[in-house]
Amino acid sequence: MNVLPALQERVVDELRDYAAKRKNDVRRGAETPELAALLVEKYGEGLVKALHIAEDLLDVSASRLRAEVDRLVLEIDPDAEENRKRRWASRPAGVSIGRP
């Protein structure tokens, strides 16, 4: 029995649920879009890595998770690409707590 399709669906659902929570935090003013998008991006990176490991072990490759991570990040922060470049340019990147 190939469990990979079910695993992929569960992982995508988990990512979407996490992204929805971050969007809610942005709506209520608890997080900036930049922070929420970064959190989704990093969480998604971990899920992508874990799914790739499962795919390697099962000797298949059919994940669409990377595209979903990118889509959700841009949905939360339309300027995510520019903000990513700014983070990389301002080494070391950090978190500033407080009002923007």
Side-chain angles (χ1 to χ4, degrees), residues 22-86:
R22 299 287 59 81
K23 285 191 267 187
N24 185 54
D25 284 347
V26 170
R27 274 192 295 276
R28 65 185 186 91
E31 294 174 1
T32 64
E34 295 84 3
L35 176 61
L38 177 62
L39 292 171
V40 169
E41 181 178 31
K42 296 302 183 182
Y43 184 72
E45 290 292 332
L47 292 175
V48 167
K49 181 65 174 175
L51 195 53
H52 281 312
I53 290 169
E55 290 171 343
D56 286 346
L57 292 173
L58 298 170
D59 197 29
V60 295
S61 180
S63 178
R64 67 180 200 281
L65 186 58
R66 161 61 37 220
E68 188 66 5
V69 170
D70 293 341
R71 184 188 74 75
L72 290 167
V73 166
L74 288 172
E75 186 176 298
I76 293 169
D77 179 14
D79 299 322
E81 294 292 329
E82 182 60 32
N83 289 327
R84 187 178 301 116
K85 289 176 189 173
R86 287 178 37 224

